[in-house]
Amino acid sequence: MSLNECTLLGRLSNELILVCDHDLVVREANELAVQTLGEALLDHSLIELFSPTAQGKGTAFVAELQRLSPTQTTPTWELMLDVPHGNRLLIGLRGGKLPNQGWLIMGGGEPSGISNLYHEVLALNIELTTLIRKLSREQTVLNDRIQRLLEFQEQHDVHHH
Amino acid sequence: MQLTSTYQEYLGALRSGDRRVALNTVRMALAEGADIRDLYMEVLQPAMYEVGRLWETNQFTVAQEHLATAITQSVMAQIYASVICNPPIGRTMVATCIGGELHELGIRMVSDFFEIEGWDVFYLGANMPPDDVISMIDEHRAHLLAISVTLGGHVMQVREMISAVRASHVGKRVKIMVGGQPLNRAPEAWKAIGADFMANDARDAVKMATEVLV
């Protein structure tokens, strides 16, 4: 199976397609993969593209690939890749052993912007939690003032009587 | 107080993505007399490390990891009232982290530990421009700047931040503390990037700062 044959599969047209050899060196890539990861990915190990947090997971993924028999397909993995402009790509990896070339790796190239959505939701959550913290702080200050006012009132009442 | 079962329950809540159970678990432990610092160090932090391990071993998706992070952020905010219970001691810290929102939990924990000790803490969020950090240090007459970094690739940004602060008018009066996984792995790196000292965790950070700022 070649890259051309892979890209003919319409259902894969919005995914990154990488054809790698046994050491996960990228031999062929579709247009979306080149656009997303840069032309430099060709003839380089895919592992080099994993973000530091995904290095351990990437190594485990390669080990799993090497354990599989030719007929087996890998389960889906999620790995973070370093991409141009500092963004990290959420990528689902699956595939099987290719007869002559090694591995076919396919992953979502963020067609739905899911990675951005995660970060937006996380940023909103941080805003919310920051507000909750500010409210707690205000509440503490107000409680303290109310306490002092009550004490003042008590002293005043004692003097008055 | 033994927090092993609290940790198991909390991790179970993160696994199932149940914010309410996570919050109740922590609140119950507090109600039973647990020290909030022990909760941070023995429940929240190890649970988040475990979440990272689960992702690395393909047992958690990125979505589950993000949800676990959001739940822990929310839980920390909900119990924040227990953090600000001590009178101020006249020390001020400005805190920031390099590397994005996903990695702000650690520095939040550090900030809370300082607040528990009576410090005034101004947490600036992730990836603040150096000029804004310098302004905050100046405005609040901060004694300490805390910078957290989670990824090795971001250590150079920490160095740039430190260089900018050092070169500014506040550079001589503020001490700079750094921390985070990549610095823990290279114990001498904090010197190379120009910090005054590094801390291994939140508890260590308070201890070190107290010693340095006698």
Side-chain angles (χ1 to χ4, degrees), chain A residues 63-137:
Chain A
E64 183 168 347
L65 283 179
Q66 287 169 353
R67 273 199 309 272
L68 292 172
S69 71
T71 53
Q72 285 176 296
T73 53
T74 60
T76 299
W77 284 65
E78 286 184 338
L79 290 159
M80 293 291 188
L81 299 189
D82 280 333
V83 298
H85 316 300
N87 294 320
R88 280 172 297 159
L89 178 71
L90 177 67
I91 183 166
L93 290 164
R94 57 186 186 275
K97 199 170 182 182
L98 297 171
N100 301 317
Q101 286 190 276
W103 304 99
L104 169 66
I105 312 291
M106 294 173 288
E110 283 198 33
S112 59
I114 197 78
S115 187
N116 287 340
L117 181 65
Y118 286 154
H119 283 284
E120 276 302 306
V121 171
L122 201 60
L124 279 173
N125 188 61
I126 288 170
E127 274 185 42
L128 178 66
T129 54
T130 303
L131 278 174
I132 293 170
R133 282 165 176 264
K134 279 183 181 166
L135 281 173
S136 288
R137 198 190 287 265

Side-chain angles (χ1 to χ4, degrees), chain A:
Chain A
M1 188 183 281
S2 69
L3 178 65
N4 279 338
E5 287 172 281
C6 294
T7 49
L8 284 175
L9 301 171
R11 67 187 180 84
L12 301 176
S13 60
N14 62 354
E15 296 199 19
L16 308 184
I17 301 174
L18 304 169
V19 177
C20 303
D21 65 15
H22 295 279
D23 297 324
L24 231 58
V25 172
V26 179
R27 295 303 177 200
E28 290 185 78
N30 72 344
E31 201 180 329
L32 182 59
V34 172
Q35 273 174 10
T36 309
L37 302 170
E39 227 167 285
L41 91 159
L42 289 167
D43 296 325
H44 279 83
S45 171
L46 189 61
I47 292 178
E48 290 172 17
L49 297 173
F50 292 153
S51 71
T53 46
Q55 288 289 339
K57 192 172 183 179
T59 307
F61 170 70
V62 173
E64 183 168 347
L65 283 179
Q66 287 169 353
R67 273 199 309 272
L68 292 172
S69 71
T71 53
Q72 285 176 296
T73 53
T74 60
T76 299
W77 284 65
E78 286 184 338
L79 290 159
M80 293 291 188
L81 299 189
D82 280 333
V83 298
H85 316 300
N87 294 320
R88 280 172 297 159
L89 178 71
L90 177 67
I91 183 166
L93 290 164
R94 57 186 186 275
K97 199 170 182 182
L98 297 171
N100 301 317
Q101 286 190 276
W103 304 99
L104 169 66
I105 312 291
M106 294 173 288
E110 283 198 33
S112 59
I114 197 78
S115 187
N116 287 340
L117 181 65
Y118 286 154
H119 283 284
E120 276 302 306
V121 171
L122 201 60
L124 279 173
N125 188 61
I126 288 170
E127 274 185 42
L128 178 66
T129 54
T130 303
L131 278 174
I132 293 170
R133 282 165 176 264
K134 279 183 181 166
L135 281 173
S136 288
R137 198 190 287 265
E138 289 299 316
Q139 194 176 21
T140 306
V141 170
L142 286 174
N143 281 344
D144 189 43
R145 285 185 184 161
I146 290 168
Q147 188 61 40
R148 275 168 31 206
L149 274 173
L150 288 172
E151 284 168 11
F152 180 76
Q153 178 78 45
E154 239 170 56
Q155 285 170 3
H156 182 264
D157 287 349
V158 168
H159 279 296
H160 193 68
H161 291 295

